[in-house]
Amino acid sequence: MIKEEIIKGLKEGKIKLHEIEKYTSIEEAVELRRLFIERITGTKLKHISNYSINMEEAQKRNIENPIGTIQIPLGIAGPIKIRGEHAKGKFYIPLATSEGALVASVNRGCSAITKAGGATVRITEDKMTRAPVIRTESIQEALKVREWIQENFERLKEAAESTTRHGKLIKIDPILIVGPYLYPRFVFTTGDSMGMNMVTIATEEAMKLLTKETGAHLIALSGNACVDKKPAALNLIEGRGKSLTAEVKIPAKIVERILKTTPKAIQEVNLAKNFAGSAISGSMGFNAHYANIIGAIFLATGQDEAHITEGSLGITTAEEINGDLYFSVTLPDVPLATVGGGTRLETATECLEIMGVRGSGKVHKFAEIVAGAVLAGELSLMGALAAGHLARAHMRLGRGS
Ligand SMILES: CC(C)(COP(=O)([O-])OP(=O)([O-])OC[C@H]1O[C@@H](n2cnc3c(N)ncnc32)[C@H](O)[C@@H]1OP(=O)([O-])[O-])[C@@H](O)C(=O)NCCC(=O)NCCSC(=O)C[C@@](C)(O)CC(=O)[O-]
Ligand SMILES: NC(=O)C1=CN([C@@H]2O[C@H](COP(=O)(O)OP(=O)(O)OC[C@H]3O[C@@H](n4cnc5c(N)ncnc54)[C@H](OP(=O)(O)O)[C@@H]3O)[C@@H](O)[C@H]2O)C=CC1
């Protein structure tokens, strides 16, 4: 079929947007879809059409109805010295953002941390979860099903793990009950993948066994107690993805020289803003801007962008100790991957390579670098707020004035 015939078919509704590949090559289908959108919306998609990634590969696993790509400016911060269990040494951090001042801020934090001897970082938990919702006949029945799950964990584990080489079911906990509804939270380790496809497929297999044996009815494979892509107290407390913590002790002189403020001023801003301010607002983000750094790294490295909302959870502490600054960040809920999902895209691969964390065996190193980067960005913004520099910085770097 020639191009104009396909466009005509699209206009007349005889060909669907996702069916163009039936009539032509994938490459031309992308072009025709874009051409059609240009014509019916009266636009010219010059920049969207300009890309170098392999769209044929992307279309297999990452995108439907592709018309091109978007471009987000990519900056680099660092080096930051990290003293982790998996990441040891100095690293540069790729950050994709359109928020002027963000890269400068993380860069400044990296500089202060590195001059102070580096950030100590640790992964405290590592898991991915899927919690279906099951309907039973009554509360009594719900309690019986809960007991069945507890007694038959090994059988459920075997069923779940039959679908994956890397996914391991480590527990089903908690098992929440609301009237006749039951929410068993399946908790897995997922190797170097973020794991949501993996644990969804594995949980479905376990649920086949559960529903067959108990007669309970599966209402939905995700019952929202997972909790995927929403901020939740359960994730804050139990953890999800990688649970991360990072700390640094910074001599007062470095705080004064690089952050233009004092340890005491940062301690007070943290107490008044991140603790009291967040508490009075009912916020679950007892921090200034984890989402900024998590978001910029996620976009750069092909993570699932909807998980930025989970990465925004967490608590910052700041204390003046013997005149110096002790500063820490704790992020209980950071879903991360160095394998699978969007990490396969060529630009993501390159960004992962900058940090030496591409592919199998690298996700823990990556997680520790992410924790260090968040520590840097949080420290710099808290410094700017304490110094009264926030508006000024954004006038200069966010408005070009
Ligand atoms: C903007 C700075 C860093 C200036 O900071 P400064 O100390 O005035 O700048 P400086 O010229 O003295 O430079 C100090 C260091 O900053 C870095 N730096 C400085 N300029 C650049 C640049 N152009 N490019 C790269 N790096 C830069 C660099 O490391 C430099 O050291 P050097 O390398 O020169 O030895 C500081 O004022 C700052 O960090 N401000 C905070 C900005 C920030 O964190 N913005 C995040 C977004 S805020 C937001 O979205 C969330 C919010 C605020 O609503 C959340 C909430 O409610 O809290
Ligand atoms: N399905 C859903 O409900 C949801 C899906 N998503 C999407 O899911 C995707 C991520 O799912 P995810 O399961 O992580 O990725 P993939 O679906 O890409 O699965 C990862 C694949 O990599 C294989 N693999 C190879 N080496 C490794 C290794 N070292 N560690 C772990 N796995 C390895 C796994 O094999 P094997 O399984 O045999 O171990 C599996 O086939 C993203 O695109 C995300 O947007 C997001 C939220 C919900």
Side-chain angles (χ1 to χ4, degrees), residues 85 97 185 295 321 355:
E85 282 183 320
T97 184
R185 197 175 199 240
I321 300 179
M355 295 175 279

Side-chain angles (χ1 to χ4, degrees), residues 87-128:
K88 295 176 201 287
K90 290 187 179 174
F91 300 92
Y92 285 94
I93 320 286
L95 298 161
T97 184
S98 57
E99 182 174 15
L102 180 60
V103 176
S105 182
V106 179
N107 202 31
R108 182 169 79 152
C110 290
S111 167
I113 290 167
T114 303
K115 286 191 171 72
T120 304
V121 298
R122 289 293 181 270
I123 301 164
T124 53
E125 291 268 351
D126 178 6
K127 55 174 168 270
M128 187 41 72

Side-chain angles (χ1 to χ4, degrees), residues 61-62 130 163-167 190-201 228-229 303-304 307 337 339-342 344 359-361:
R61 304 182 189 92
N62 299 102
R130 178 53 97 198
T163 64
T164 167
R165 290 163 296 154
H166 295 85
T190 60
D192 296 287
S193 69
M194 178 274 284
M196 274 315 289
N197 278 339
M198 186 185 280
V199 307
T200 301
I201 296 163
D228 193 39
K229 304 187 172 176
Q303 309 302 313
D304 188 324
H307 284 146
V339 165
R344 303 181 185 98
S360 287

Side-chain angles (χ1 to χ4, degrees), residues 99 101-105 107-108 111 258 260 273 288-289 292 377 380-381 384-385 389-390 392-394 396-397:
E99 182 174 15
L102 180 60
V103 176
S105 182
N107 202 31
R108 182 169 79 152
S111 167
I258 299 182
K260 324 288 190 293
K273 170 191 170 65
H289 71 149
N292 261 340
S380 182
L381 174 54
L385 286 163
H389 287 176
L390 179 67
R392 184 182 88 174
H394 283 258
R396 180 162 71 88
L397 294 167

Side-chain angles (χ1 to χ4, degrees), residues 139-301:
I139 294 169
Q140 213 173 352
E141 190 63 24
L143 287 165
K144 270 195 204 153
V145 175
R146 185 174 71 176
E147 205 177 307
W148 186 91
I149 293 171
Q150 286 159 345
E151 282 170 2
N152 289 276
F153 174 76
E154 288 303 328
R155 292 175 70 199
L156 291 164
K157 179 176 165 69
E158 195 183 332
E161 291 179 5
S162 70
T163 64
T164 167
R165 290 163 296 154
H166 295 85
K168 303 288 169 220
L169 182 67
I170 50 176
K171 61 179 180 177
I172 303 174
D173 180 58
I175 305 173
L176 304 169
I177 293 179
V178 180
Y181 296 117
L182 202 69
Y183 305 82
R185 197 175 199 240
F186 286 71
V187 181
F188 294 84
T189 55
T190 60
D192 296 287
S193 69
M194 178 274 284
M196 274 315 289
N197 278 339
M198 186 185 280
V199 307
T200 301
I201 296 163
T203 302
E204 182 173 57
E205 200 59 32
M207 288 307 296
K208 283 182 194 162
L209 175 69
L210 186 149
T211 50
K212 186 168 130 247
E213 298 266 325
T214 65
H217 176 58
L218 176 65
I219 298 282
L221 196 51
S222 168
N224 265 12
C226 312
V227 177
D228 193 39
K229 304 187 172 176
K230 275 88 61 183
L234 184 59
N235 290 0
L236 188 69
I237 297 161
E238 287 278 317
R240 189 168 194 265
K242 309 296 179 255
S243 302
L244 306 172
T245 185
E247 68 181 3
V248 64
K249 283 177 201 152
I250 310 187
K253 275 194 179 144
I254 294 180
V255 175
E256 282 154 22
R257 184 157 55 85
I258 299 182
L259 303 174
K260 324 288 190 293
T261 186
T262 61
K264 198 169 184 57
I266 291 181
Q267 175 180 297
E268 181 165 22
V269 172
N270 195 58
L271 181 67
K273 170 191 170 65
N274 287 341
F275 281 29
S278 299
I280 191 74
S281 330
S283 169
M284 279 187 287
F286 289 80
N287 63 76
H289 71 149
Y290 293 179
N292 261 340
I293 304 99
I294 291 289
I297 296 179
F298 274 31
L299 292 178
T301 61

Side-chain angles (χ1 to χ4, degrees), residues 292-370:
N292 261 340
I293 304 99
I294 291 289
I297 296 179
F298 274 31
L299 292 178
T301 61
Q303 309 302 313
D304 188 324
E305 66 276 6
H307 284 146
I308 296 166
T309 184
E310 295 182 48
S312 74
L313 301 173
I315 301 173
T316 296
T317 73
E319 278 175 81
E320 186 202 38
I321 300 179
N322 299 329
D324 297 332
L325 177 68
Y326 171 88
F327 195 84
S328 82
V329 295
T330 297
L331 298 96
D333 184 4
V334 188
L336 281 178
T338 56
V339 165
T343 67
R344 303 181 185 98
L345 299 172
E346 289 84 340
T347 51
T349 299
E350 288 178 7
C351 286
L352 290 166
E353 278 171 355
I354 290 173
M355 295 175 279
V357 296
R358 179 185 172 189
S360 287
K362 295 289 167 42
V363 80
H364 292 126
K365 181 178 175 189
F366 181 37
E368 291 184 346
I369 296 171
V370 170

